[in-house]
Structures are given as C-alpha cells and as structure tokens.
Amino acid sequence: MSKPKKSQLMKPSTAAQKLGVYLPATPREFQEGSVSREEFDELQHNPPQWLVDLRRNGPHPRSVVAARLRVSNSGLARGGITEPLTTAQIAALAADPPQWLARERETHAEARREQRRLQELQNDTD
C-alpha cells in the first residue's frame, strides 16, 4: 500500500510573490502560516476580499510596480523608488511621468527589443 501524498507547503513570502501581493500588507494569519498547494489554488481561483483589495489598491511589491510603470526593478531603484506603491501613487506617476521614468521606460523598451532580436536570431539558427 502506498502512503497518502503529503500536501506541498510554501512559505508565506513565496505564496505572496506568486499571488503578486506585498507580504506585509497581507493578514497576519497569512503571514504567520504555511500555505498548502490546495490553499494556494483556492486563493487563485476564489480570492478572498483582502486579496482582491490588495491586488486592486496595493500597496504593491516592486515587481508589480515596475510592470505597471513599464520599467525594470533596477530602473525603479535608479529612480529612487524603494518603497511599495499604491495603485493611486502608480497612476499619479504614470499620468505625469518624471524625467527619470521616461528615461527608464525607454531603456527598458530598448532592452526588451534587444532580447527579442537575440531570441529571433537564436530561433533562426535552431
């Protein structure tokens, strides 16, 4: 007879990262416990109100802020953005972009174009 499978557990920081939320803004019980694969799947498919609110309003982790502003994480750091931002703060930056943001967007777009070019070259040689 085989043993029943144990559910795979992940740390709250890993679950928060995969869910795209800022861990310190999550409820205490989420921060202090482990998240099983089944619980994670349930959070993704049927998110509780706190998760819906965090995804909508923030504060957002760096990766989400960078993606919404269309810059890299390094570009955020160069621009002096080190703290998580809310959706309203991101919208304000996007509406009236400072000089650093325009420069970082162009740098990021250029890097992505180069990545695509190299990928196409790689695909052509395969």
Side-chain angles (χ1 to χ4, degrees):
M1 231 173 24
S2 64
K3 293 182 181 180
K5 279 189 165 180
K6 285 188 176 180
S7 181
Q8 189 178 26
L9 297 176
M10 64 179 88
K11 295 178 184 177
S13 58
T14 303
Q17 182 180 13
K18 289 178 180 251
L19 291 169
V21 295
Y22 183 57
L23 181 62
T26 62
R28 180 179 214 109
E29 55 272 6
F30 181 85
Q31 294 177 35
E32 294 176 351
S34 295
V35 179
S36 71
R37 178 59 64 187
E38 293 77 22
E39 291 169 332
F40 180 77
D41 290 342
E42 181 64 22
L43 286 171
Q44 282 188 308
H45 299 309
N46 189 16
Q49 191 59 45
W50 64 264
L51 182 54
V52 172
D53 292 342
L54 269 180
R55 285 178 169 167
R56 182 182 315 121
N57 304 319
H60 301 288
R62 290 176 58 92
S63 60
V64 173
V65 173
R68 289 189 179 188
L69 289 175
R70 298 187 326 269
V71 298
S72 66
N73 283 338
S74 300
L76 280 180
R78 285 189 295 270
I81 305 294
T82 58
E83 298 297 317
L85 299 180
T86 64
T87 301
Q89 291 169 315
I90 294 169
L93 274 173
D96 187 22
Q99 188 176 9
W100 71 264
L101 181 55
R103 184 176 59 250
E104 289 299 334
R105 280 180 171 170
E106 182 52 39
T107 301
H108 187 62
E110 189 176 312
R112 294 197 56 163
R113 281 191 297 271
E114 181 64 10
Q115 281 179 330
R116 280 193 299 273
R117 185 185 73 77
L118 293 174
Q119 185 64 43
E120 288 172 6
L121 283 175
Q122 180 71 29
N123 290 341
D124 288 345
T125 60
D126 286 343

